[in-house]
Amino acid sequence: PASLPRAPFPAPRRGAAPCGGGLASLLPSHGMKLALLQLNPTVGALAANAARIEQAVRQVGPVDLCISPEMSLVGYPPRDLLLQRAFVVRAHEVLGRLASALASAPPVLVGVPMENAALDGRPLFNAAALLRGGRVERFFRKSLLPTYDVFDEDRYFEPGPGGGALIEAGGRDLAVSICEDIWNDRDFWQRRRYHHDPIEEAKAEGAEVVVNMSASPFAAGKQALRERMIGQLARRHALAVVYVNQVGGNDDLVLDGRSLVVDREGVVRARARAFAEDALVVDTETLDAGGVPSLPDEPAEILEALVLGTRDYARKCGFRSALLGLSGGIDTAVTASIAVTALSTRSSSFPPQR
């Protein structure tokens, strides 16, 4: 899969243009520039994924911090690849080389599995690595592990202990969280799944901004739920939230991207593209909510999800041709339309069809 052609990583986009006020009034002191790297990794393709991260970081230019999604180096979900210690060791070798390659670049957070040195518990943590100054400076561990619906993280990972997940960037204290860590707010959920809240802990430790690295799958209408939930979280703690989601199709799972910046009043100030890679650079001094479009209706986003899932399944599995069977019904007409949109050389890097 790593050898198949891919479109170049998109040029970075700046957040909405200033039009008075903006996010600066909703964050303390001076502005901060963040790059939200909405990536589409291939599960297991370590070298190709690292190259994509490096390409994205180099394209965004000078910023205070680059943020990639959860498990951005190995792809999500890596499933039973995590049971092979050689794979985890190899991932950390690639991570070290990536840190060296980005020695002169801005610091970057990269999602990666991390070995658990304790003699009990699961052998790994779901973690984020901070690459800065040519080395892997430190790791942050995910506290809340989803084991429901399409998730099976308790099979592989030990929960992180919580606390101590702050970093300094741009003169601010940022809390690093991973996906499910923000999905446990007591004011939003009638019944919470977990007994503690990593964001409450981060606020108590002095966090000014919450960074969340996610691999949150698509479901119809889910983006509106995410934005309500993150908005409530931001208002409750008076914290801005920077949410960076993975995008792409990995077998039966489609991740829709739509990364976000939400101010501490719960207002969405920037949103990355849906169902496509994106690099969104936000400056907290100039960002304003005026450029954030409304969400599409459900039929439109379902179609985009089907197209992306089909395209990525073909590309990542290395398929060079496709055979389409038609019965003449409306269902096959829809299938044919999806296939043409997903696999046509005009809209993807899939080879010409025979």
Side-chain angles (χ1 to χ4, degrees):
S3 64
L4 286 179
R6 292 192 71 177
F9 193 80
R13 297 188 299 122
R14 309 297 161 184
C19 57
L23 189 57
S25 61
L26 302 173
L27 285 169
S29 74
H30 60 282
M32 173 175 55
K33 289 185 76 172
L34 301 172
L36 287 66
L37 308 181
Q38 184 170 287
L39 299 163
N40 182 356
T42 298
V43 171
L46 299 173
N49 295 340
R52 201 67 166 176
I53 294 168
E54 182 180 354
Q55 181 186 9
V57 171
R58 294 194 185 284
Q59 282 190 199
V60 298
V63 296
D64 293 303
L65 181 67
C66 297
I67 308 156
S68 71
E70 177 182 17
M71 289 288 152
S72 54
L73 186 62
V74 302
Y76 191 91
R79 295 194 171 115
D80 283 4
L81 282 174
L82 296 171
L83 301 180
Q84 302 179 31
R85 187 172 183 274
F87 174 76
V88 178
V89 170
R90 172 71 173 158
H92 280 257
E93 291 171 353
V94 173
L95 182 70
R97 286 199 291 273
L98 178 61
S100 297
L102 293 174
S104 61
V108 56
L109 287 166
V110 176
V112 65
M114 170 191 174
E115 287 196 295
N116 179 9
L119 297 179
D120 52 2
R122 267 54 118 223
L124 299 171
F125 293 105
N126 184 333
L130 175 63
L131 311 187
R132 180 154 49 186
R135 66 188 184 93
V136 180
E137 185 174 297
R138 60 180 295 197
F139 290 93
F140 307 89
R141 293 167 287 184
K142 185 175 183 178
S143 294
L144 308 182
L145 302 177
T147 304
Y148 58 86
D149 194 28
V150 299
F151 305 106
D152 194 18
E153 294 198 17
D154 188 62
R155 172 179 169 86
Y156 308 101
F157 298 118
E158 183 72 8
L166 298 188
I167 60 170
E168 186 278 330
R172 304 281 176 76
D173 288 326
L174 281 66
V176 179
S177 63
I178 302 176
C179 204
E180 190 84 350
D181 288 343
I182 64 170
W183 289 76
N184 201 41
D185 183 71
R186 69 174 69 253
D187 290 347
F188 189 82
W189 302 105
Q190 197 169 38
R191 182 180 180 87
R192 298 198 303 169
R193 188 177 294 272
Y194 310 97
H195 296 291
H196 75 106
D197 184 347
I199 307 308
E200 281 185 353
E201 296 164 2
K203 175 68 175 180
E205 292 177 353
E208 299 173 82
V209 178
V210 171
V211 168
N212 186 256
M213 304 164 64
S214 279
S216 181
F218 167 77
K222 187 176 181 180
Q223 182 67 12
L225 171 66
R226 287 182 189 130
E227 295 187 10
R228 289 198 308 272
M229 190 237 357
I230 294 173
Q232 170 63 38
L233 181 78
R235 286 190 299 273
R236 179 179 172 224
H237 297 291
L239 291 171
V241 180
V242 179
Y243 165 85
V244 184
N245 195 27
Q246 197 174 128
V247 68
N250 287 318
D251 289 340
D252 57 331
L253 207 62
V254 174
L255 302 110
D256 54 317
R258 297 195 275 199
S259 303
L260 296 169
V261 177
V262 177
D263 71 27
R264 63 187 188 186
E265 291 185 352
V267 178
V268 176
R269 295 287 181 164
R271 185 190 303 122
R273 293 186 177 98
F275 304 102
E277 288 189 314
D278 203 0
L280 186 61
V281 177
V282 295
D283 186 325
T284 61
E285 286 215 23
T286 61
L287 197 58
D288 190 89
V292 180
S294 59
L295 294 170
D297 58 22
E298 287 191 7
E301 66 175 11
I302 289 170
L303 177 60
E304 286 193 81
L306 290 169
V307 168
L308 176 62
T310 302
R311 178 183 298 143
D312 271 2
Y313 186 79
R315 179 178 64 82
K316 293 180 180 182
C317 289
F319 296 152
R320 293 289 177 180
S321 61
L323 177 65
L324 185 62
L326 301 175
S327 67
I330 186 65
D331 55 338
T332 55
V334 172
T335 300
S337 176
I338 291 168
V340 169
T341 305
L343 305 180
S344 167
T345 55
R346 292 171 299 186
S347 61
S348 74
S349 58
F350 198 71
Q353 301 307 292
R354 299 194 301 244

